[in-house]
Amino acid sequence: MRVWLNPAWQLESADGTVTFQGEKKKYVLDDSKGTVSRLLETLEGGCENEALEALTRGDSACAGLVEALRKRGLLIESPSGPAGDDSVHARQWGHLALHTYRPDEAQRRLCGAKVMVMGVGGTGSVILQHLIGAGVGRFVLVDADKVQLNNLNRQFTFPRAAVGEPKLEAARGYIHERVPDADVSLVDRFVRSPEEIGEVLEAHADVDVIAVCIDQPIGSISDAVAESAWARNTPSIFGGVGMQRGFYGPLFAPGRSTVTPGQLAFPVRADIAPENDAGNLRSTRYSFGPNNTIIGAWMAAAIIHHLAGITELVEYDVRKIIDFETGHIIAQAQ
């Protein structure tokens, strides 16, 4: 295993100091004795763990420095360093490294994950875009609609030429254009009842996460999917988009969430103030593309971080309600 400087931090050297500069923090290290510079020179291009241990074994100051850098997440471990700019995931490496000392393992988990997207419309298509970009290459898509011209203001995975085609076929074409060897299973059916949901989940029991992007009927269908997934120990997340507000989450994960789908079911409890009530959101035939993108992107981020093992960035117990007109976010717990 090789040790690397965390690429998410910028390095600056001046006047006998070395600064690790991040967006929220910075660390200024005294380098008057040159210890920091010597270590950084060793770590440039990566350093085998054994070589680093040999370097620090007889140098207590260097050993203490390495320990301090590890503790603050300024070092990472990986068999290879950040991918070159010709890699699809090259620019994602820094984000993963910012939140885990093994970004290679996080990326490996993403590439090996399988995600079910139920509904590849307004939010589902956005989620697909981000999951593909993050490295997910195995999908189960559930839908029975055809691409309509009025979808194109918010569903950017579909070209105009796909109007009239089944959304599943168009979505699979988009995925394979980006990831030719992607594994894509299609489920061409509407699911409206717990029985139908159970049949779909039973047939695809190996999925790692379910993104619920169907809202007909609003509330009851997402509750049924979440309950069925929970019973099968499968994580799931739901989001909804209205005209002025939207919401997403929690990502219900058995063994990690302290609330169950039943505790945040629709309609939301009557004693919650209306402005906090995601249950007041109703289906609408109208849409504003950026609103779908906002909710879909947040859902995708939760799924990606969960799959990567970056659990501190995932809301497992809280539903987030977003006011599109003000940008205010309300956290709704059980």
Side-chain angles (χ1 to χ4, degrees):
M1 188 62 65
R2 295 179 71 82
V3 181
W4 308 78
L5 291 169
N6 192 324
W9 297 77
Q10 292 183 343
L11 282 177
E12 299 175 2
S13 299
D15 301 324
T17 65
V18 173
T19 300
F20 284 79
Q21 182 70 58
E23 292 182 11
K24 292 186 175 181
K25 293 181 180 179
K26 73 175 180 178
Y27 298 101
V28 181
L29 308 183
D30 179 8
D31 193 32
S32 57
K33 296 183 179 180
T35 304
V36 181
S37 296
R38 288 196 298 274
L39 178 61
L40 298 185
E41 184 178 350
T42 301
L43 290 170
E44 186 176 0
C47 175
E48 293 294 337
N49 246 323
E50 294 79 3
L52 184 60
E53 290 172 4
L55 174 69
T56 59
R57 193 174 297 124
D59 187 338
S60 59
C62 190
L65 176 60
V66 169
E67 180 62 26
L69 295 179
R70 286 188 191 275
K71 184 177 180 180
R72 289 161 178 80
L74 302 177
L75 300 181
I76 60 173
E77 293 188 2
S78 172
S80 59
D85 279 345
D86 59 344
S87 166
V88 173
H89 309 128
R91 300 303 175 90
Q92 182 167 276
W93 183 276
H95 175 75
L96 298 178
L98 190 61
H99 299 287
T100 175
Y101 77 100
R102 288 296 306 274
D104 61 306
E105 280 295 310
Q107 187 62 64
R108 182 189 61 78
R109 286 192 288 268
L110 286 169
C111 290
K114 188 173 188 177
V115 178
M116 177 182 288
V117 181
M118 302 186 75
V120 291
T123 55
S125 60
V126 173
I127 291 171
L128 267 183
Q129 289 177 301
H130 287 289
L131 294 183
I132 294 166
V136 176
R138 298 194 298 154
F139 295 94
V140 178
L141 308 182
V142 184
D143 207 312
D145 275 336
K146 293 184 177 181
V147 180
Q148 300 180 50
L149 188 61
N150 61 25
N151 295 153
L152 303 187
N153 75 318
R154 64 200 183 280
Q155 299 175 27
F156 307 118
T157 57
F158 306 133
R160 190 183 183 94
V163 171
E165 294 181 8
K167 283 186 177 180
L168 289 181
E169 295 294 341
R172 179 165 60 182
Y174 174 83
I175 294 171
H176 281 153
E177 181 182 354
R178 299 291 300 272
V179 187
D181 60 348
D183 178 2
V184 185
S185 298
L186 306 182
V187 181
D188 184 7
R189 66 183 294 185
F190 287 112
V191 289
R192 297 186 177 90
S193 69
E195 292 75 23
E196 293 173 330
I197 292 166
E199 291 172 4
V200 172
L201 299 194
E202 196 66 33
H204 301 279
D206 61 338
V207 297
D208 297 292
V209 179
I210 301 171
V212 188
C213 305
I214 49 178
D215 57 6
Q216 297 293 340
I218 187 73
S220 61
I221 189 65
S222 60
D223 287 346
V225 174
E227 291 279 7
S228 185
W230 183 270
R232 291 170 169 78
N233 290 317
T234 303
S236 67
I237 184 171
F238 173 59
V241 181
M243 295 291 290
Q244 296 173 295
R245 296 187 306 150
F247 68 90
Y248 69 95
L251 196 155
F252 290 114
R256 186 170 293 278
S257 298
T258 61
V259 297
T260 66
Q263 290 173 303
L264 278 176
F266 293 83
V268 178
R269 299 192 325 261
D271 60 331
I272 295 178
E275 64 270 18
N276 296 344
D277 187 0
N280 283 344
L281 190 70
R282 294 292 179 261
S283 297
T284 171
R285 66 190 298 265
Y286 299 103
S287 64
F288 180 55
N291 293 347
N292 290 87
T293 299
I294 289 169
I295 297 301
W298 277 111
M299 291 175 69
I303 294 169
I304 291 166
H305 290 139
H306 172 78
L307 294 173
I310 304 174
T311 56
E312 69 273 14
L313 297 184
V314 183
E315 294 286 5
Y316 290 105
D317 301 308
V318 175
R319 176 170 289 142
K320 292 293 185 71
I321 304 169
I322 302 175
D323 187 317
F324 296 133
E325 297 177 344
T326 65
H328 293 162
I329 300 176
I330 300 169
Q332 177 193 351
Q334 187 270 334

